[in-house]
Amino acid sequence: MQETDPNFEALLVYLKEARGFDFTGYKRSSLMRRVQRRMSQVDTPGYPDYLDYLQVHPDEFTALFNTILINVTAFFRDPDAWDYVRDEILEPMVAGKPDDSMIRVWSAGCASGEEAYTLAIALAEILGVEQFKERVKIYATDVDEEQLNEARQASYGEREVQDLAPELVEKYFEQVNSRYVFRKDLRRSVIFGRNDLVQDAPISRIDLLTCRNTLMYFNAETQAKILGRFHFALAETGVLFLGKAEMLLSHSSLFTPIDLKRRVFRRVPRLYAPPGAVFADPPPAVAARVTGLDELRNETFTASPLAQLALTPDGLVALTNRQLEKLFGVSSRDIGRPFRDLDLSYRPVELRRFIEQAQLERRTLRVSDVEFARGSETVHLVVQVSPLSDADGSLLGVNLIFHDVTAARRLQDELEHANQQLEAAYEELQSTNEELETTNEELQSTVEELETTNEELQSTNEELETMNEELQSTNDELQSINDQLRISTARLDEANAFLETVLTSLQAGVAVVDADLRIRMWNRHAEDLWGLRSSEVIGQHFLNLDIGLPIDRVRPLLRGSLGAGGASAETKLDAVNRRGRAITVRVACTPLRQRDGGPADGNGAIIVMETA
Ligand SMILES: C[S@@+](CC[C@H](N)C(=O)[O-])C[C@H]1O[C@@H](n2cnc3c(N)ncnc32)[C@H](O)[C@@H]1O
């Protein structure tokens, strides 16, 4: 039973109008599952949302069609069925054709081409390569352009050819790097094209039509429509080869099974009606010397549970029975009347021509599928028309027996219905199976991707670990440099403190200047002497100091003590201390020297100012 959801149907109509893909004839259960799968991937909760999404993202169509159109396939898929087709169909077909006639084959729903190349290999094996090239045309069609493009490449991986016999791979494929490419000279006989089985016209004069694992995606109505096209496509004695799960054909009057198990069918000419149920002929009369035989015969005839009627050779009613009266109202009162005057002669079925034919050909005829309305109930009949002859063979008359097959017919209908349900369930199972295969392949490739990502992460991790180790050792080195620095700083601080103590303890003002005469040091006594704090003078030009010392007089001394050849000099100067008192100051300028006597780094001088 098809579930329908108006929103889903609206989506199908949209797909048809927007992209020409008509999925309305596909079975809903599988179709809905596939669409929902796509919806969850793009995170759209309902069909209307998904329709909106499609309108905004045109690329989504391709992703959706790839999800809906299951492309599972293989070379010689179901090998047993292919063996059968090769031995019982293709070989006799080739043998039965004139040597110069063409062999036309159609692979409908060919996916990525394996089925078409399977046909090519099978025929080339039978005909030989040269004959194959001259006589064979293989049409391979699908609705899916992406698949067709893949099929046209004719290039397959190790996995695809692994189930092919190695000698066939060797003979029919050329190895190009890690790929197997189908032979170019044979490839020319395979013609790929887009054909939508639901909408497009079929190819004609086909000897073998393979449509495998494709019909099962369509509902019964669409399958019937496609089968009508296949019937048209096939030549008079053409053969149809379906997938192993596809069975609805067993109900079709267009095809008759050649091998039901392998799903191989022959095209039935349109006017041929398959024979109905076969009934046993009435037992031959046995002559016996029994008294009251005529009466006995009469009574047997009258009481028969089968409605019966006997006619004379010139068409008059000769015998009737009770069952006939019950069924059609024809009774012993009608004996002697021409049969053609009775309604029964043409209702429920035209019997007169069958009676004439049975008389003429002297053989029993059966008219099946006769329906007859009795009140509210429909009775199904098979009418048996038998000519009756005497011992010399001259015609005695015609016997009509009306078999009521209503119960059998009901059982048959029920059986057929049950069969259909079974077949539908089987098809559903098969298509679910294919879906699972696709899902499995997708999962496998996701797992492979994850594995690759994992490997990449692992190597990134290793790199990070190495970097970490390197950083750690750099850190250790920095730490030890830092420790040394701390020790040096502590020593320096100690030395500075000592120098400070020495300078503070001196009973003279001391200033140290650099080569530019900028003050680098100014001791406590200098502060006391001139009233300027060390923080005020450090960095100042010595000659710009505003103190009670006549700086101009100090300048020649200072200049003389700077530079490479600088020498010590001293003088006495009158000055004014910070309290404004006049004092005499002895000023001595000494060049800054290294321990070895060379000029100190950056050069400079020491100025000692002592109250005389
Ligand atoms: C499962 S594959 C069968 C491949 C091959 N015949 C086999 O049995 O291995 C079904 C193919 O039917 C095709 N298909 C689905 N709907 C179709 C349509 N309306 N007309 C033609 N091909 C169709 C899909 O594209 C897919 O390639």
Side-chain angles (χ1 to χ4, degrees):
M1 278 296 105
Q2 299 230 334
E3 317 141 38
T4 50
D5 171 334
N7 289 328
F8 186 69
E9 299 307 311
L11 179 65
L12 296 188
V13 170
Y14 176 67
L15 293 180
K16 187 172 171 187
E17 283 168 0
R19 287 296 162 108
F21 264 97
D22 184 1
F23 291 113
T24 52
Y26 287 57
K27 282 186 196 149
R28 289 297 180 274
S29 50
S30 160
L31 190 60
M32 283 172 130
R33 259 200 315 275
R34 304 298 296 172
V35 174
Q36 278 165 7
R37 188 179 154 80
R38 197 55 218 154
M39 283 164 53
S40 76
Q41 279 165 356
V42 295
D43 207 14
T44 46
Y47 297 122
D49 310 291
Y50 188 58
L51 203 154
D52 289 347
Y53 186 89
L54 276 166
Q55 284 170 334
V56 181
H57 303 90
D59 286 354
E60 177 59 17
F61 282 101
T62 316
L64 175 65
F65 297 153
N66 280 341
T67 311
I68 294 180
L69 299 170
I70 308 261
N71 301 127
V72 177
T73 186
F75 289 106
F76 291 98
R77 186 175 185 185
D78 311 323
D80 166 61
W82 277 102
D83 286 350
Y84 176 84
V85 165
R86 184 195 57 215
D87 298 343
E88 305 298 329
I89 305 295
L90 289 177
E91 279 189 3
M93 180 188 289
V94 169
K97 273 184 174 270
D99 283 352
D100 55 352
S101 65
M102 290 301 289
I103 296 164
R104 292 163 61 84
V105 181
W106 180 13
S107 162
C110 64
S112 42
E114 284 87 332
E115 187 174 283
Y117 296 118
T118 297
L119 283 162
I121 294 173
L123 280 164
E125 285 293 285
I126 295 171
L127 285 162
V129 166
E130 287 316 311
Q131 278 272 308
F132 174 89
K133 287 197 277 192
E134 274 173 32
R135 294 180 55 196
V136 176
K137 282 258 172 304
I138 297 171
Y139 300 92
T141 62
D142 203 286
V143 77
D144 187 338
E145 288 281 12
E146 269 186 29
Q147 286 292 301
L148 284 172
N149 280 340
E150 228 178 89
R152 286 187 184 107
Q153 311 286 319
S155 164
Y156 299 93
E158 188 83 48
R159 207 169 72 177
E160 281 98 333
V161 297
Q162 74 185 1
D163 291 334
L164 268 176
E167 58 277 14
L168 293 183
V169 178
E170 166 79 9
K171 187 165 167 190
Y172 292 102
F173 292 84
E174 192 188 331
Q175 193 165 359
V176 181
N177 303 324
S178 58
R179 308 284 297 171
Y180 296 83
V181 181
F182 192 72
R183 275 173 70 155
K184 285 211 171 44
D185 54 340
L186 303 191
R187 160 75 183 80
R188 280 187 210 108
S189 303
V190 188
I191 301 125
F192 289 97
R194 186 177 188 275
N195 180 288
D196 183 345
L197 292 172
V198 182
Q199 313 185 66
D200 295 335
I203 297 166
S204 62
R205 291 179 291 116
I206 295 298
D207 296 301
L208 173 65
L209 199 171
T210 62
C211 181
R212 313 198 65 225
N213 307 299
T214 301
L215 271 187
M216 64 188 179
Y217 293 106
F218 300 107
N219 60 31
E221 194 189 334
T222 310
Q223 284 194 2
K225 204 159 105 187
I226 295 173
L227 289 176
R229 295 212 174 107
F230 284 174
H231 188 268
F232 171 84
L234 282 165
E236 194 70 16
T237 53
V239 172
L240 177 62
F241 180 22
L242 299 181
K244 71 167 180 230
E246 288 157 326
M247 299 178 71
L248 289 180
L249 262 188
S250 48
H251 309 295
S252 164
S253 59
L254 302 178
F255 296 91
T256 182
I258 302 175
D259 187 301
L260 194 57
K261 185 169 153 240
R262 274 97 171 197
R263 305 289 180 267
V264 181
F265 301 83
R266 186 167 307 283
R267 176 187 189 274
V268 173
R270 264 207 191 272
L271 290 176
Y272 174 75
V278 177
F279 295 94
D281 281 335
V286 178
R289 293 182 183 282
V290 185
T291 52
L293 192 58
D294 283 350
E295 212 176 311
L296 185 63
R297 270 200 198 108
N298 254 344
E299 193 42 38
T300 308
F301 186 83
T302 310
S304 165
L306 299 175
Q308 285 194 56
L309 172 74
L311 303 177
T312 62
D314 48 359
L316 301 179
V317 177
L319 291 166
T320 63
N321 72 356
R322 275 188 222 120
Q323 198 57 26
L324 187 79
E325 184 172 5
K326 220 165 116 190
L327 208 54
F328 300 113
V330 176
S331 68
S332 52
R333 287 184 302 280
D334 295 303
I335 290 175
R337 287 180 67 189
F339 178 64
R340 65 170 185 278
D341 290 352
L342 304 184
D343 283 358
L344 182 56
S345 66
Y346 58 88
R347 205 164 44 211
V349 64
E350 170 57 60
L351 286 172
R352 287 166 298 192
R353 67 184 172 89
F354 289 103
I355 294 168
E356 274 168 29
Q357 195 183 344
Q359 281 177 327
L360 204 67
E361 296 175 6
R362 293 293 174 89
R363 66 182 181 93
T364 297
L365 301 177
R366 286 184 187 82
V367 189
S368 21
D369 291 334
V370 178
E371 273 186 25
F372 172 53
R374 191 170 59 186
S376 59
E377 127 190 69
T378 302
V379 178
H380 294 271
L381 299 170
V382 171
V383 186
Q384 181 180 321
V385 185
S386 308
L388 302 171
S389 312
D390 63 11
D392 312 332
S394 25
L395 191 70
L396 286 175
V398 176
N399 185 27
L400 280 83
I401 304 175
F402 298 85
H403 296 271
D404 183 346
V405 292
T406 311
R409 179 64 188 262
R410 196 175 308 123
L411 275 178
Q412 193 183 346
D413 283 351
E414 281 172 9
L415 192 68
E416 254 175 42
H417 183 64
N419 251 344
Q420 271 173 358
Q421 283 183 328
L422 199 69
E423 288 167 2
Y426 187 43
E427 281 190 0
E428 179 74 11
L429 198 70
Q430 180 74 5
S431 74
T432 311
N433 203 16
E434 297 212 344
E435 272 178 52
L436 282 176
E437 266 185 54
T438 317
T439 313
N440 197 19
E441 276 180 22
E442 286 166 0
L443 275 177
Q444 256 176 11
S445 81
T446 311
V447 166
E448 277 166 22
E449 273 172 38
L450 281 175
E451 273 174 2
T452 315
T453 313
N454 202 16
E455 276 171 21
E456 285 169 3
L457 277 176
Q458 255 174 10
S459 87
T460 311
N461 206 14
E462 279 166 18
E463 277 171 34
L464 281 175
E465 268 176 30
T466 316
M467 277 170 70
N468 205 14
E469 277 169 18
E470 283 170 11
L471 279 175
Q472 187 67 39
S473 89
T474 311
N475 204 18
D476 289 348
E477 278 171 32
L478 281 174
Q479 188 68 35
S480 92
I481 292 174
N482 206 15
D483 289 347
Q484 284 170 5
L485 270 176
R486 212 175 303 126
I487 294 166
S488 306
T489 310
R491 286 197 186 132
L492 205 63
D493 285 351
E494 223 173 274
N496 274 343
F498 181 67
L499 189 64
E500 181 100 23
T501 313
V502 171
L503 288 172
T504 307
S505 310
L506 278 175
Q507 285 306 304
V510 178
V512 179
V513 294
D514 63 15
D516 297 325
L517 299 183
R518 303 240 165 237
I519 299 169
R520 291 175 64 188
M521 183 173 286
W522 186 257
N523 77 344
R524 176 79 56 78
H525 205 80
E527 284 180 354
D528 289 346
L529 205 53
W530 307 119
L532 287 177
R533 284 197 307 281
S534 161
S535 58
E536 290 169 301
V537 299
I538 295 291
Q540 296 273 353
H541 201 283
F542 184 82
L543 299 182
N544 291 342
L545 286 182
D546 183 15
I547 53 177
L549 189 70
I551 295 290
D552 286 353
R553 306 269 307 274
V554 182
R555 181 181 305 184
L557 265 75
L558 258 178
R559 296 271 182 232
S561 60
L562 287 176
S568 301
E570 66 172 67
T571 186
K572 272 191 185 169
L573 295 172
D574 291 331
V576 179
N577 72 4
R578 73 177 165 104
R579 292 195 180 86
R581 282 178 52 197
I583 53 171
T584 301
V585 178
R586 193 167 60 84
V587 178
C589 291
T590 311
L592 270 179
R593 296 238 180 265
Q594 301 273 32
R595 206 184 263 243
D596 61 1
D601 188 24
N603 215 341
I606 302 170
I607 305 152
V608 179
M609 297 159 286
E610 195 179 359
T611 315

